[in-house]
Amino acid sequence: MGLLACVIVSVSTACTEPDLDHEGGPDEPAEIVVSAVEGARLCAGTQTWVDDELRRVRAETGLLPVARLPVTLGAGAVEERCTVPDDPETVVGCTLGEGGATAVISTPEALSHELVHALRRHQELRTRTMFEEGFAEAIDGSDAYPRYVELEPGELPEARWPEALVQQSKAEFRSVQSYRVAVHFVDHLRRVHGAEAVAAFMRGGIDGTAAEAETRFERHFGTSLEAEAQAWRASGAQGFGRGDPCAGGVVAIESGVTVELVVRVDCDDPETMGLEGAAEAAWIRRCVSLGAGRRAVQMGMGAGPGLGAVRWEAVPQTCAEGSSELDAAPKVVEAGDAGTLEFAACTWAVTFESTADGPQELSLTLGPG
């Protein structure tokens, strides 16, 4: 696979193949080469974000630098190289191999999660899937690619309690609800015992069985997994989130006015995220607050039919009480579309997305419905 744009977190600034025999050390920076899928390149904002995420994930896992870790970003690469036989369409990233042969293939949105797996695999650390996935999910999430997971632990069936999930193999564990339980439980551990204590537990041993993991858990945290899981259920925590999609600010739009939002999606602009080329998407986000009601929406042709879109997502926990779930659901307006949409009274993250080659100006007109 041809690898184009490169970002190297290392002493060198050149795009070169790392030394495979280099063992690394606590004072040596990691040589992590992040490249775009063949035919694409990383946009300027993505390159900066990748550097920040590499440092953050290293800090939160407490793991030493690695000698070599190639990372390929792009949905096309994921489709080609990541396979999950029972549910291939939901895969957004994977980590392959272990030790010095570890590699990451991911969409940008899943990169932080996969980096956690990769750093652990490189050092051949492993425990039960519930902890592996919960730890990666708890570290995942940033302003660029925020995540929010809602769950009511008190309403879970026993088959989805942490005591049951720790027994499961990776194949048995794979379900949306299992991942939600795992991240909420690990987040509970971080809040009660501290993030470093959880990271130390994850670094502290290799567990081949659930019994080994439970024994090590009790020795490390001073309480049994069963007791800690019961405390988590009793806490009633329902929301876990990381990252603020509207960190750049929110513009209030009144109901009776017509406004036009215009953005220039230019991969060379530091504000532009994503990838350009090979049908990948480059994007810029704006945030607006709206009152409830119907709005007339029209998107200019911009990048051309099929090459541009605007995605609306309500920011979690910002919608007015009693808002309709349907009106608060995500919405997509494609280039050339015109019509009316019902909006809940929320703060909305509005993402202008282009899959065209080269800079594109995208416009969205919003008026009374």
Side-chain angles (χ1 to χ4, degrees), residues 286-308:
R286 297 285 184 264
C287 285
V288 302
S289 64
L290 300 177
R294 178 172 294 185
R295 305 274 180 146
V297 180
Q298 181 173 357
M299 184 178 176
M301 293 299 287
L307 297 178

Side-chain angles (χ1 to χ4, degrees), residues 197-217:
V198 175
F201 169 74
M202 296 298 294
R203 297 191 302 267
I206 296 175
D207 303 315
T209 67
E212 290 173 350
E214 290 181 77
T215 297
R216 196 166 63 84
F217 182 97

Side-chain angles (χ1 to χ4, degrees), residues 251-260 288-297 312 340-346 348 365-369:
V251 174
I253 298 180
E254 298 178 8
S255 299
V257 300
T258 297
V259 297
E260 184 180 26
V288 302
S289 64
L290 300 177
R294 178 172 294 185
R295 305 274 180 146
V297 180
W312 296 75
T340 58
L341 294 173
E342 289 285 350
F343 289 91
C346 309
W348 292 86
T365 303
L366 194 66

